[in-house]
Amino acid sequence: MINRVAYRSLVDAVEVFQSYASRASFVADRDNVAAAEANLTGLRFLSIADLDEASALATRMCSHLFYKRQDRVILAPRYDGCGIINTCFGDAISDLEHVIELKDGDRPFRSHEFRQITIYSALHLNKTGRMPPSISVINSRRGVSIDMPIGEFAGEVAGQSSYDYLREVIRVISDDTISQ
């Protein structure tokens, strides 16, 4: 819940403010984070300490996504469904089409994060016909991230070009027999 509230407060800040400083100030305010929790749940469950943790996490997310970046980041990009995958929303994508996944647990990255970003990248290719140039998986809680060109990623995980890799993902999730 803390991670969800932190992300929601960052989305709220981005909707209202253009500058990094204003966004960072917004998410640093516990009252704004509490309002984000109320918008998500309709109630208040988090303690003051939890709200402070959500605020600190949102501040780190804001820094990772908006401080010193040359591109513009869009939160909660919509991906059209494809095959067995319904329409969904990712965490972030840049205006240069870098697909970004936020995983803010207190653990190392797992294969699940990379499968998820693969699906978002495939859905992006399927929708736009354009290859995302890179992927990023960011854990703001731990202060770690992985940024990799999509071609290098596809070569490492599948031994294929990025286009062949993502087209194969699209083929598999679109296969009518997959759910039988």
Side-chain angles (χ1 to χ4, degrees):
M1 178 59 90
I2 290 169
N3 293 354
R4 288 185 60 213
V5 169
Y7 181 75
R8 181 69 239 175
S9 67
L10 182 58
V11 169
D12 292 346
V14 169
E15 288 175 355
V16 176
F17 301 104
Q18 293 294 315
S19 76
Y20 167 76
S22 295
R23 291 171 178 175
S25 178
F26 182 90
V27 298
D29 185 328
R30 184 189 311 139
D31 291 337
N32 294 330
V33 176
E37 179 195 12
N39 287 339
L40 276 173
T41 64
L43 300 169
R44 291 276 319 281
F45 294 106
L46 297 179
S47 67
I48 296 299
D50 292 339
L51 289 172
D52 288 341
E53 184 178 347
S55 176
L57 182 57
T59 300
R60 289 192 297 270
M61 286 178 186
C62 187
S63 178
H64 270 114
L65 293 173
F66 301 106
Y67 186 67
K68 292 187 178 179
R69 284 192 73 106
Q70 300 303 312
D71 53 354
R72 191 174 132 260
V73 173
I74 299 121
L75 297 179
R78 182 181 186 274
Y79 295 106
D80 294 340
C82 177
I84 62 169
I85 307 293
N86 291 329
T87 297
C88 55
F89 294 87
D91 289 335
I93 191 167
S94 80
D95 60 350
L96 299 176
E97 300 178 326
H98 299 272
V99 179
I100 303 165
E101 180 65 18
L102 299 172
K103 290 298 177 189
D104 292 308
D106 193 17
R107 60 172 176 73
F109 294 132
R110 297 183 183 163
S111 62
H112 172 79
E113 281 86 44
F114 297 99
R115 287 192 302 266
Q116 189 168 6
I117 204 161
T118 295
I119 294 294
Y120 291 147
S121 297
L123 293 174
H124 177 77
L125 174 63
N126 193 56
K127 177 181 180 177
T128 66
R130 294 184 305 273
M131 182 66 57
S134 68
I135 60 165
S136 297
V137 181
I138 300 169
N139 186 321
S140 298
R141 181 181 300 276
R142 298 183 75 215
V144 297
S145 64
I146 295 174
D147 303 297
M148 184 179 287
I150 192 76
E152 183 180 330
F153 177 71
E156 289 290 325
V157 300
Q160 296 178 300
S161 72
S162 54
Y163 182 80
D164 290 343
Y165 174 60
L166 295 181
R167 290 306 305 169
E168 178 65 10
V169 170
I170 292 166
R171 186 195 66 74
V172 169
I173 63 176
S174 298
D175 187 348
D176 291 338
T177 63
I178 198 165
S179 62
Q180 294 178 352

